[in-house]
Amino acid sequence: MERSAPTLTIQQLAAHRGDYGVDAPLTPFVLGLMGLLLLGSGLFLIWLSGDWRAGAIFLLYGLVLLLSTASYLYTTRRGKFLLWARILVELQLDGDEQVLDLGCGRGAILLMVARLLPQGRAVGVDIWKSGDQSGNTREATERNARLEGVAGRIALYTADMRNLPFADNTFDLVVSNAAIHNIPHAAGREAALKEAVRVLKPGGRLVVADINKTRQYARTLERLGMVDIVRRGLGWRGWYGGPWVALRLVSARKPILPR
Ligand SMILES: C[S@@+](CC[C@H](N)C(=O)[O-])C[C@H]1O[C@@H](n2cnc3c(N)ncnc32)[C@H](O)[C@@H]1O
């Protein structure tokens, strides 16, 4: 059988039928609420007390917070799909790979990968924290997999990414989006990366997008013996509220022979 992943455009891969919730839903809620309160206070100051100067300052801050909320919601609902569709297309998968998604949540990235794996398998690992993604449950991910038509290509594990239930050298590709930063301490994040490297096959690739600590991830990966380490920004589609909370991508390869 010829090895090849289906040829999909970035737009086709990013299109989805499932519902993938909102990442860290409390953040846009608080940002939006504060924006509305400031906007309301600004209007109140201008119209009722005639204080144009104070009113304008409140209006300005309110608008900034509302724009920040809009940017956040765009990234979580649309931007990350487009970014990852491009990343996955550029990986030029053969279609028979074993792929692991660390902190898969409701499956936004996991199920896009699965669409590219007619002969392979996409494995998702998560502890399903609802504070990290709205409606975050294993059942929601399974429902999304059925809606995307890839239920037969995925496997889900309830497991902590610092302690993966897989043998060494199992996966051709390990991906992760906006998940590793949720681990509270540097030692924990390092443990997750160490596990990712352990379960990668020699020659396998690691691709991690996250909102902070990516410089630290690159340094850790170098210490773990990974090669071809590249760190880069992903642009405005990866802004969770603004350029100050932006997704960055770290990619690396496990050497065939240990360094
Ligand atoms: C912001 S969500 C992102 C989910 C998914 N990657 C996406 O882009 O839609 C972060 C995810 O990481 C998961 N998570 C946090 N800490 C984890 C850990 N130690 N092990 C496994 N998953 C974890 C959360 O449950 C959540 O599903």
Side-chain angles (χ1 to χ4, degrees), residues 122-133:
V123 176
V125 159
D126 208 296
I127 50 175
W128 323 109
K129 280 166 69 180
S130 56
D132 290 346
Q133 190 165 70

Side-chain angles (χ1 to χ4, degrees), residues 20 23-24 80 101-109 125-130 132-133 136 159-162 176-183 240:
Y20 296 89
D23 296 336
K80 74 177 180 188
D101 184 358
L102 300 173
C104 63
R106 294 171 64 160
I109 317 306
V125 159
D126 208 296
I127 50 175
W128 323 109
K129 280 166 69 180
S130 56
D132 290 346
Q133 190 165 70
N136 195 9
D160 192 308
M161 64 176 109
R162 288 166 288 189
S176 183
N177 183 63
I180 299 178
H181 76 273
N182 289 304
I183 299 175
Y240 280 89

Side-chain angles (χ1 to χ4, degrees), residues 127-190:
I127 50 175
W128 323 109
K129 280 166 69 180
S130 56
D132 290 346
Q133 190 165 70
S134 61
N136 195 9
T137 61
R138 187 186 173 119
E139 292 69 34
T141 315
E142 285 165 349
R143 192 166 50 247
N144 281 338
R146 285 193 297 277
L147 287 169
E148 308 299 355
V150 294
R153 298 181 191 173
I154 68 150
L156 298 176
Y157 288 78
T158 300
D160 192 308
M161 64 176 109
R162 288 166 288 189
N163 187 16
L164 294 173
F166 310 113
D168 298 359
N169 310 329
T170 301
F171 295 98
D172 302 284
L173 171 66
V174 175
V175 298
S176 183
N177 183 63
I180 299 178
H181 76 273
N182 289 304
I183 299 175
H185 303 293
R189 294 187 290 272
E190 276 194 36

Side-chain angles (χ1 to χ4, degrees), residues 8 18 33 77 93 113 116 124 164 174 179 187:
L8 295 173
L33 192 64
R77 297 291 292 180
L93 298 176
V113 182
L116 296 172
L164 294 173
V174 175

Side-chain angles (χ1 to χ4, degrees), residues 204-222:
R205 290 176 288 184
L206 173 69
V207 184
V208 172
D210 214 341
I211 51 170
N212 45 35
K213 320 283 186 205
T214 51
R215 205 182 293 274
Q216 195 185 80
Y217 300 169
R219 277 200 294 266
T220 302
L221 291 172
E222 199 175 354

